[in-house]
Amino acid sequence: MIVTSSRESGECGLVLFKFKLRTLEMKKLVFTALAAAGLVAASSAFAAGAPMMTGNSNPWYVGVGVNHSADISAKLKDSDGDTLNLNDSGVGYNVFVGYQANHYFGTELGLTSQGDDTYKTKTTGGATVKKALRLKNRWNLHFVGTATLPVTDWFSPYVFGGVAYANSNSTSKATNTSTGVKDDYTGFGLIYGAGLAFNFNQFGVRVNYTRLDATSNGFDTSAVGTVTSTLPQNNDYISLDVLYRFGA
């Protein structure tokens, strides 16, 4: 019969406790290592899922597109109280070059040329007089900053904002006048908007809504004789663009 002293029993218990403690510490170490590996893998997967945003050796891109007025039911008022309705709106084009600095931010320089908008009315003070106002030769050269949210490898909503140098001409005419009156406008304004981008390797397609705010530049009226028409101060248009990324 073997008799174990209380001291030996205590030493055995202490050894067993130390063994369990070391086992627990090893498990924690293993779990920590696995968690770190998981985070690294997730980060790598996210980066691989957004190839257009991953600090390419060449982060530049170029693109072209078309645009059209966003307000197809626009109306203008003149000093006679008559309403000129948007009668016709043309299609314009966009060209641009951009730099994607990182996952989220970039810059872009672009030129937008818009189609002509024609407004017409038929009545003035009870008489049958046709009026027409045409906005033409509309273009803007803009520089904007972009902020992008890379949701997936193929889908990225974005916003943008910056400054633009804009040009526009207007021609006003009425059937009871022999000649039309032309007004010109050039000046700086704010430009901003938002869009959705769809990415396909080095190529992309995007659609966006843009507003050019010219309220601070005095392009506000166009007159025919004593009749003055109030011109739109905010120029809104929708664009559909395709782009190519170098080094994606």
Side-chain angles (χ1 to χ4, degrees):
M1 180 177 182
I2 301 175
V3 179
T4 304
S5 66
S6 59
R7 180 179 180 182
E8 291 175 344
S9 298
E11 290 177 350
C12 291
L14 181 60
V15 170
L16 182 61
F17 174 76
K18 289 181 177 180
F19 176 77
K20 290 182 177 180
L21 182 60
R22 289 179 180 177
T23 302
L24 182 60
E25 290 176 348
M26 288 295 294
K27 288 182 177 180
K28 288 183 177 180
L29 182 61
V30 171
F31 290 149
T32 302
L34 290 175
L39 288 175
V40 171
S43 300
S44 300
F46 181 82
M52 63 163 288
M53 306 289 182
T54 53
N56 302 313
S57 58
N58 192 344
W60 292 92
Y61 63 89
V62 294
V64 296
V66 295
N67 65 69
H68 193 275
S69 174
D71 192 351
I72 60 175
S73 60
K75 298 179 180 180
L76 302 180
K77 283 283 189 179
D78 65 19
S79 57
D80 278 345
D82 292 328
T83 299
L84 287 79
N85 298 302
L86 181 62
N87 179 261
D88 185 48
S89 184
V91 176
Y93 65 87
N94 313 310
V95 292
F96 54 90
V97 57
Y99 181 89
Q100 190 67 41
N102 55 38
H103 280 73
Y104 307 104
F105 301 107
T107 57
E108 188 171 297
L109 175 67
L111 173 66
T112 293
S113 177
Q114 293 183 256
D116 297 350
D117 283 355
T118 302
Y119 296 81
K120 290 183 178 182
T121 188
K122 292 185 177 181
T123 60
T124 174
T128 304
V129 177
K130 294 182 180 180
K131 297 179 182 178
L133 188 149
R134 186 180 184 187
L135 299 177
K136 60 182 181 179
N137 194 25
R138 297 185 298 165
W139 56 264
N140 71 76
L141 180 66
H142 56 267
F143 181 75
V144 298
T146 62
T148 303
L149 179 62
V151 177
T152 69
D153 59 340
W154 59 270
F155 174 66
S156 304
Y158 66 98
V159 295
F160 57 91
V163 295
Y165 182 79
N167 178 88
S168 185
N169 306 130
S170 70
T171 301
S172 301
K173 191 173 182 180
T175 55
N176 60 346
T177 60
S178 58
T179 59
V181 177
K182 297 181 180 180
D183 288 320
D184 300 323
Y185 156 80
T186 56
F188 288 94
L190 298 177
I191 190 168
Y192 48 90
L196 302 173
F198 303 89
N199 313 307
F200 308 96
N201 297 321
Q202 288 182 263
F203 296 92
V205 177
R206 69 185 192 183
V207 58
N208 64 63
Y209 188 103
T210 302
R211 165 164 286 190
L212 175 60
D213 186 350
T215 55
S216 62
N217 293 284
F219 186 59
D220 53 359
T221 61
S222 180
V224 179
T226 60
V227 180
T228 301
S229 299
T230 300
L231 301 177
Q233 297 299 284
N234 296 317
N235 184 5
D236 296 357
Y237 55 93
I238 299 173
S239 297
L240 176 64
D241 301 324
V242 294
L243 57 90
Y244 176 81
R245 302 182 187 89
F246 299 98

